Amino acid sequence: MQSFRALSRTPFYVLTGGLAVLFLYPLIWTAISSVSPQPGSAQVDGFGFGNYATLATYQAGLPHYLANSLVISAVAVVLTIVVSTLGGYAFARFRFPGKDALFLLTLSILMVPYATLLIPLMIWLKQLGLGNSLVGVGIVLAVFQLPFAMFMMRISFEAVPKEIEEAALVDGCGTFTALRRILLFAVKPGLITVGLFAFLAAWNDFMVPLFLVGGDDQPLPLALVNLRQQVMGVIDYGATQAGVVVLTIPCVVLFLALQRHYVNGFMSGALKG
Amino acid sequence: MTTLATPRPGSSATAAPGPGPQRRRRDRRALAGWAYASPTAALVLVFFVVPIGLVLLMSGSDWNLLGGNQGTNFPENFTAVLEHRMFWPAVGFTLKYTVIATLLLIALGLGLAMLVQESTRWRGLLRTAFLLPTALGLASASLLFYALYSPQVGPVSGLLDRLGFAEGQVSVLGSADGALWGTVLLVVWRFAGFYMLLLLVGLQGIPHEVYEAARMDGAKPFQVFTRITVPLLRPSLALSTIMCVTGSLLAFDQFYILTKGGPDGSTMTLVQLVYNLAFESKRDLGMAAALSVVVLLALVAVNVVQLRALRGSSAD
């Protein structure tokens, strides 16, 4: 802040405005090329959804790949939220043998990134009956979301005053009722952040399905990358850019709607970390 | 959820004889704690601990993509990896890419964070603009840039022509340098906002009074930056560096989509090589697992060193 205060107003607006345009340009370019009959041509001659129609008919088709993406994301989000809520509650409020070891083990998932575990996971998931399965991909993505989610939910529960819960326990309800009826509302901002991060990570992931599923089980990002190599190496840029737009719209909408949670969750997490 | 939440028999079952009510209550709490933590334990054991064991086992086995496990092949997998003609080039390229990406991202992230530090309406809009690319998946962003760089449809090739860097249709990703810097540009675009946010948190933690005092003492803006901002920002800078180094050492999506390691293996990263060994050139899962183990150990070592540095810096 200090070093930039010296800039007078007009150069500041020109500099930052120019930067903002550079950051937004690729997004705008993609949006325009996706509705242009000849993507990338100097002027947009005509406007149409032909690229989206091509994408919809490609092999198994857009709805199918979107459904795959939805299944993977739903499994990952639900599993991340449920497990990290229960686990965060346990780590924040209970003392039990092995607690610190388990918490450290969960955080150490960050140290051993999943790129190095995808080869064994491919074999192991097959053994578990989850070979080539969207549910398997969702579970793997949830596991690698767990360190952040667990950390976030633990600090969320720790921030809730103990008295609130103790009052409920004295009134005779069990810990689970206290969790469900009272605590869950107190940790809602943490839950939203964890859910949003898990969704964005799962919806956009490319590497895990690349290693773990194939054929018609591909989610949209994987299908789009493979779309490039169709038809004798001729790349359908229009359809690919339409796919990028389809993938991006939910993320941008969610991001803009939940921006405050995203930034705040980030800040509280980063500050304590 | 309920199927996973089976309570585990804790050590509390073997409580001392004649436990008082306090003791019994504590044991019950411990049991409940384990019950709530058991889904975490199950998930971590089955999908993290077992795969680590398995990758170690596979790295010592003759394991074929189609044929499965065909016996032990212990030191051979590792010697084959070290002698593979792409191994050292991949190590070198991954390190080079990591240094470039980290320096650029941290510098740009810090610059952007300083630009948007004050909260005004205009700066709020700027923040949103810089953060918007982080909403895209890395794969989507890579596909987007693949089209941007394409000589047939993308504007970049024409721009390079007009600026006099090249003539006619240039294939940005067709040369080794173009492929490296094209990928770096994509990564900078996608992640700069992320590091801006991370460093913004640190900047906002620096009290105003420190700046006031420095200005009273007549410090120049540059001195304020090097003597106050950077030292007080060290924990955030260290955290950003760790995340950036870790992410870059494991770079895969952007290279798989933009270059597939080409041209001529000039942008081959270590994880891309793992993929190639397993699915493309060799279909040798044992060798791919051995390379995974090498990468994994190197990464754990890098993280331990960096975490120690981070702890040292935040203790200052």
Side-chain angles (χ1 to χ4, degrees), chain B residues 203-218:
Chain B
L203 279 180
Q204 310 220 311
I206 302 177
H208 265 278
E209 295 76 30
V210 185
Y211 286 119
E212 304 282 328
R215 229 174 343 173
M216 298 276 264
D217 292 342

mmCIF file of all heavy atoms in Angstrom, chain B residues 203-218:
data_model
loop_
_atom_site.group_PDB
_atom_site.id
_atom_site.type_symbol
_atom_site.label_atom_id
_atom_site.label_comp_id
_atom_site.label_asym_id
_atom_site.label_seq_id
_atom_site.Cartn_x
_atom_site.Cartn_y
_atom_site.Cartn_z
ATOM 1 N N LEU B 203 -0.324 -8.966 4.577
ATOM 2 C CA LEU B 203 -0.201 -7.501 4.547
ATOM 3 C C LEU B 203 -1.145 -6.857 5.557
ATOM 4 O O LEU B 203 -0.796 -5.896 6.236
ATOM 5 C CB LEU B 203 -0.549 -6.972 3.152
ATOM 6 C CG LEU B 203 0.531 -7.034 2.082
ATOM 7 C CD1 LEU B 203 -0.007 -6.466 0.784
ATOM 8 C CD2 LEU B 203 1.765 -6.260 2.514
ATOM 9 N N GLN B 204 -2.369 -7.426 5.649
ATOM 10 C CA GLN B 204 -3.342 -6.820 6.550
ATOM 11 C C GLN B 204 -3.000 -7.086 7.999
ATOM 12 O O GLN B 204 -3.538 -6.434 8.884
ATOM 13 C CB GLN B 204 -4.739 -7.313 6.201
ATOM 14 C CG GLN B 204 -4.968 -7.147 4.714
ATOM 15 C CD GLN B 204 -6.340 -6.684 4.357
ATOM 16 O OE1 GLN B 204 -7.317 -7.221 4.823
ATOM 17 N NE2 GLN B 204 -6.421 -5.679 3.505
ATOM 18 N N GLY B 205 -2.086 -8.026 8.221
ATOM 19 C CA GLY B 205 -1.668 -8.297 9.595
ATOM 20 C C GLY B 205 -0.591 -7.332 10.077
ATOM 21 O O GLY B 205 -0.231 -7.331 11.250
ATOM 22 N N ILE B 206 -0.044 -6.513 9.164
ATOM 23 C CA ILE B 206 0.986 -5.552 9.573
ATOM 24 C C ILE B 206 0.301 -4.295 10.117
ATOM 25 O O ILE B 206 -0.490 -3.675 9.410
ATOM 26 C CB ILE B 206 1.900 -5.178 8.380
ATOM 27 C CG1 ILE B 206 2.552 -6.431 7.797
ATOM 28 C CG2 ILE B 206 2.973 -4.175 8.821
ATOM 29 C CD1 ILE B 206 3.408 -6.176 6.571
ATOM 30 N N PRO B 207 0.572 -3.924 11.375
ATOM 31 C CA PRO B 207 -0.143 -2.781 11.958
ATOM 32 C C PRO B 207 0.208 -1.460 11.256
ATOM 33 O O PRO B 207 1.342 -1.265 10.816
ATOM 34 C CB PRO B 207 0.367 -2.746 13.408
ATOM 35 C CG PRO B 207 1.197 -3.934 13.602
ATOM 36 C CD PRO B 207 1.527 -4.527 12.292
ATOM 37 N N HIS B 208 -0.799 -0.598 11.142
ATOM 38 C CA HIS B 208 -0.611 0.705 10.503
ATOM 39 C C HIS B 208 0.486 1.520 11.169
ATOM 40 O O HIS B 208 1.229 2.235 10.513
ATOM 41 C CB HIS B 208 -1.928 1.500 10.561
ATOM 42 C CG HIS B 208 -2.739 1.348 9.334
ATOM 43 N ND1 HIS B 208 -2.508 2.094 8.200
ATOM 44 C CD2 HIS B 208 -3.770 0.531 9.044
ATOM 45 C CE1 HIS B 208 -3.367 1.738 7.268
ATOM 46 N NE2 HIS B 208 -4.145 0.794 7.750
ATOM 47 N N GLU B 209 0.575 1.382 12.504
ATOM 48 C CA GLU B 209 1.491 2.232 13.268
ATOM 49 C C GLU B 209 2.926 2.059 12.797
ATOM 50 O O GLU B 209 3.724 2.999 12.813
ATOM 51 C CB GLU B 209 1.412 1.926 14.764
ATOM 52 C CG GLU B 209 0.073 2.248 15.411
ATOM 53 C CD GLU B 209 -0.998 1.218 15.090
ATOM 54 O OE1 GLU B 209 -0.648 0.035 14.886
ATOM 55 O OE2 GLU B 209 -2.192 1.580 15.017
ATOM 56 N N VAL B 210 3.276 0.819 12.391
ATOM 57 C CA VAL B 210 4.643 0.559 11.964
ATOM 58 C C VAL B 210 4.981 1.432 10.752
ATOM 59 O O VAL B 210 6.050 2.025 10.671
ATOM 60 C CB VAL B 210 4.815 -0.932 11.611
ATOM 61 C CG1 VAL B 210 6.273 -1.225 11.274
ATOM 62 C CG2 VAL B 210 4.363 -1.802 12.755
ATOM 63 N N TYR B 211 4.022 1.523 9.811
ATOM 64 C CA TYR B 211 4.246 2.350 8.625
ATOM 65 C C TYR B 211 4.336 3.832 9.003
ATOM 66 O O TYR B 211 5.186 4.562 8.507
ATOM 67 C CB TYR B 211 3.104 2.159 7.626
ATOM 68 C CG TYR B 211 3.149 0.849 6.900
ATOM 69 C CD1 TYR B 211 2.106 -0.067 7.025
ATOM 70 C CD2 TYR B 211 4.219 0.528 6.065
ATOM 71 C CE1 TYR B 211 2.138 -1.271 6.343
ATOM 72 C CE2 TYR B 211 4.258 -0.667 5.387
ATOM 73 C CZ TYR B 211 3.207 -1.574 5.528
ATOM 74 O OH TYR B 211 3.241 -2.748 4.855
ATOM 75 N N GLU B 212 3.417 4.231 9.888
ATOM 76 C CA GLU B 212 3.406 5.639 10.316
ATOM 77 C C GLU B 212 4.770 6.009 10.889
ATOM 78 O O GLU B 212 5.376 7.018 10.515
ATOM 79 C CB GLU B 212 2.344 5.846 11.408
ATOM 80 C CG GLU B 212 0.942 5.418 11.017
ATOM 81 C CD GLU B 212 0.271 6.434 10.133
ATOM 82 O OE1 GLU B 212 0.551 7.631 10.292
ATOM 83 O OE2 GLU B 212 -0.536 6.021 9.264
ATOM 84 N N ALA B 213 5.264 5.138 11.771
ATOM 85 C CA ALA B 213 6.539 5.412 12.437
ATOM 86 C C ALA B 213 7.662 5.532 11.419
ATOM 87 O O ALA B 213 8.492 6.443 11.483
ATOM 88 C CB ALA B 213 6.845 4.299 13.436
ATOM 89 N N ALA B 214 7.649 4.625 10.435
ATOM 90 C CA ALA B 214 8.709 4.641 9.420
ATOM 91 C C ALA B 214 8.669 5.947 8.634
ATOM 92 O O ALA B 214 9.696 6.548 8.327
ATOM 93 C CB ALA B 214 8.558 3.451 8.482
ATOM 94 N N ARG B 215 7.434 6.397 8.319
ATOM 95 C CA ARG B 215 7.329 7.625 7.539
ATOM 96 C C ARG B 215 7.773 8.840 8.348
ATOM 97 O O ARG B 215 8.380 9.772 7.827
ATOM 98 C CB ARG B 215 5.916 7.817 7.034
ATOM 99 C CG ARG B 215 5.971 8.124 5.528
ATOM 100 C CD ARG B 215 4.636 8.182 4.924
ATOM 101 N NE ARG B 215 3.681 7.536 5.836
ATOM 102 C CZ ARG B 215 2.392 7.545 5.634
ATOM 103 N NH1 ARG B 215 1.914 8.160 4.592
ATOM 104 N NH2 ARG B 215 1.561 6.946 6.472
ATOM 105 N N MET B 216 7.459 8.798 9.650
ATOM 106 C CA MET B 216 7.897 9.890 10.526
ATOM 107 C C MET B 216 9.420 9.986 10.523
ATOM 108 O O MET B 216 9.989 11.063 10.577
ATOM 109 C CB MET B 216 7.438 9.648 11.971
ATOM 110 C CG MET B 216 5.940 9.590 12.122
ATOM 111 S SD MET B 216 5.232 11.211 12.288
ATOM 112 C CE MET B 216 5.140 11.304 14.070
ATOM 113 N N ASP B 217 10.055 8.796 10.444
ATOM 114 C CA ASP B 217 11.512 8.773 10.426
ATOM 115 C C ASP B 217 12.075 9.132 9.064
ATOM 116 O O ASP B 217 13.284 9.071 8.857
ATOM 117 C CB ASP B 217 12.038 7.393 10.846
ATOM 118 C CG ASP B 217 11.743 7.119 12.306
ATOM 119 O OD1 ASP B 217 11.464 8.091 13.023
ATOM 120 O OD2 ASP B 217 11.775 5.941 12.722
ATOM 121 N N GLY B 218 11.196 9.417 8.123
ATOM 122 C CA GLY B 218 11.640 9.868 6.818
ATOM 123 C C GLY B 218 12.077 8.767 5.871
ATOM 124 O O GLY B 218 12.899 8.991 4.980
#
